[in-house]
Amino acid sequence: MRHSKYIIIGCLLVLGATSCKKWLDVNTDPNNPNNETVLVQNRLPWIQHFYCYTAGVTNFRTSCQAGVYYSTTASANAFSTTWIASTGNITPYQTWFVEVASNLNDLYNSAKKKGAWHYMATADVFHALGFMEMLDVYGEMPYTQALSETASPGFDDGKTIYYGCMAKLDEAIELFSKTQDATAPTLASGDMWNAGDVNKWIKLCYGLKARYMLKLSKKSDLFNADSVLYFLSKGPQSIADNVVQPGYNNSTVTDYLLGDPVVTNGNFDYVAYGSGQRISQYYYNLLTNMRGAGVTDPRMTKIVPASMSNIQLDASGKVTSFTWNRSKGVDSYGASARLVKGGAASIVTPTYAILNTTIAYKITNATDRANFIADQVAAGRTFTTNVDTVKVTYKAGSIFINSTNYLYAGDTAYVNMRSSALATSGIPAQGEKDVSWYPSAAAFSAGAVASTGSFQVRPVSDQEILTYHEMCFIKAEVYMRKGDVANAYTAYIAGIQAHLNMMQAKLTAWQAATYTATNPDMAPMNQTDINTYLTSNAVAGAGTLTMADIMLQKYIAMGCSIENWNDMRRFNFSAGNVGSFGVVYPGYDRGPLFAGTAQYTGGGKTDPRYWQRRWSLPTTLELNYNLTNALAINPHATDPNIWSMPVWWDCATDGEYYGYLNK
C-alpha cells in the first residue's frame, strides 16, 4: 500500500495555479516536486482535507444505515431501504489508504527530523481517526503492516486495531505537550482545523479517547465509566473547543481521484452534490414530534430542506410570489406506501417548467385516480379527465415531476438534500454566496429554488470532527449508566443547548456573509422558538429522563455522522435488550422493502445478526488482491452474511468476537 504515498505531491501541483486558501499551497519546488521537498506544513492541510473526504462518504452511508437519510443511489439505497448490501463500498477504504494513510509515516518522519513534535502528533491523531473509522465499518483489516513496504500486508483483528489507535492518541498528547525546536515550522502555518492551537489539539485527543472508550460499553470487563468522565474533563469544554474543517465555495478546482470539489465540506460531496438524497421520515419525526410532544424543533427548518411551490412569474419570467414547500420525510421503515407502490429507489428528481406543460396520466385504479384528482384540486392546477386518463397542466415556473407515471407526480413533496457549489452547479452565473439548488439555468434565471439544502451538508458547512455537544451527550449517557440521573440530566440539557448554540453561531455567520439573501434557511433561528422548545415536553424533565431521551437528542445533533450508527449498534438498535434501558431507538427496524435475507440472517431483533453491523471488504481491493490474508484472520470474510457480523467492540466478550471469526 505504500506505493501511493506520493499522491499529495500531485495534489499540490493541481492546486498550484488556482489555490483558493493559503493552506492548500505548493511545495518548495512546484516544478520538480518530490517526497523529500514537501514541507510538513504543506502536507498537513492536504491530509486534513482528504481525511474529511473519507469521513464524508463514511458519514453519509452510515447515516443511511442509521435512518437519517433515504437515498436512491445504489449503495446507499441498499443501506437505507432494502438492506441488500453489495461489495461496492470501496470509496472510504480507497480514499483513506490512497490519500491519507499513505502519507502519515512521511509526515511523522519528516517532522521528527525537524524537531516539529506537533506535526508528529497530528500524524498520530490522523492514524487514530482513520484506522478507528476503518475498524468501525470493515472490522478486520491490514493495520500493523498496512503502511509498510509489504505488498500484501497481513490483517489484524479489531482488538489490535482499537488498542493501536488508543496508543497513538496517548503519544499525540505527549508530543503536543513538548516545545518544538526553534527552527521547526509552527503548527499554525499548516493547520486548517485549529489554527495551531495546541490546547485544542490536546482536547481533541482526549475527546476522541472518550468517544472510543464509549465503544466498549458492552464489555463489562473493559468499559470504565470513570475513565470516560476523566477523558471528558480533559476534552472540549465549550463550543469554542469544537474541532471542524471549514467548507468553502470559492474555487472550481476538483479532486484528481474522483472529480469532486476540493474546498467544499466533505459531507456535501456525498449527501448534497447530487439529487438522490432526502431526509428520512424517521429523522423528520424526531424533529417534529420528539417524545410524542407534537412540538416542532427550531432546528427543523435548518436541517429539513425546502423548495419553492405555487410560483407566479412576472412578464419577464421572474418569480414574483411563491410559498415554501418544506420537505416531508421519506418513509422506508413504516408503511412505506410510496416506495411499496413505486419501488425502493423510485423517488424522482423534479424539473423546472419553462413553459406551460401538460402531462397525461393513465390511472386505472379508481381510488388512486380519485385521490390524484383531489391532489390537483388542492394544488389549484388545471386538469381534465377522460375515462381513466387525467391531463394536468403545470404552469410556467412550476417545479414538477416530468413523468407520465402518476405515482411520481407527488414526489415534489420530498425535497432533495442538494446544494450547489461553483464547481458543481453547471450555472456560470450562480455566485459563491448562492448555494441553493436550481434544476436548470432557466430556473436560476427565474429565481426558482428547488432546494435550500441542509445545515450540515452545504458546501460551506463546517465538517464536524469533534464537538462539545457530543461530549455532553457522552457524559449524559455515562452518568445514566452509573445511575446518577441528576448529573445525566444536567449533561443532557447542556448537550441540547450546545448544539443549538453551535448551529446559531454558524447561522449568524452565514447571515453576516449574506448567504441569506437567497436562502432563508441559512438565517439564525428565532430565540423565542428556542426558548419554547427547551421548556416543552419535547425535552425530558429532570424526573422523567431515559436513555432513549439522551440518545435521540444526540441522534438529532450528530446527524450526518458515523457515530449515530456506532451508537445504535451499542444499543442493538430497537431490540431493547441492553441493560435496563429498554428500546432506545423506537420505530427503527427492517422496512417492508427489506430483501437482505442473505446478508442479515438473525431470526429476531435480539439476535445480533438481524442488524447491519459492518461492511464487506472491498472486492476490487482486498478480496481480489489480498484474499489469503483476509481469510486467514476471518474465514467468513467473503460470506454473504458478513454484513451482520459484529466488529470487536460490538461484542460483549472476546470469546463472542473470536467465536464469530472461528465458527
Side-chain angles (χ1 to χ4, degrees), residues 373-419:
I373 290 171
D375 289 341
Q376 308 318 304
V377 172
R381 298 190 188 101
T382 299
F383 67 92
T384 61
T385 61
N386 182 13
V387 191
D388 59 3
T389 299
V390 181
K391 290 185 177 181
V392 178
T393 298
Y394 298 92
K395 295 192 301 182
S398 296
I399 293 172
F400 74 109
I401 305 298
N402 192 15
S403 169
T404 58
N405 189 330
Y406 75 96
L407 292 174
Y408 303 159
D411 284 357
T412 52
Y414 308 111
V415 181
N416 65 57
M417 305 290 292
R418 191 165 180 171
S419 287

Side-chain angles (χ1 to χ4, degrees), residues 173 208 216 236 298 307 333 383 486 539 568 574 589:
I173 293 168
L208 290 175
L216 307 185
S307 66
Y333 296 104
F383 67 92
V539 176
M568 294 178 95
S574 62
D589 200 351

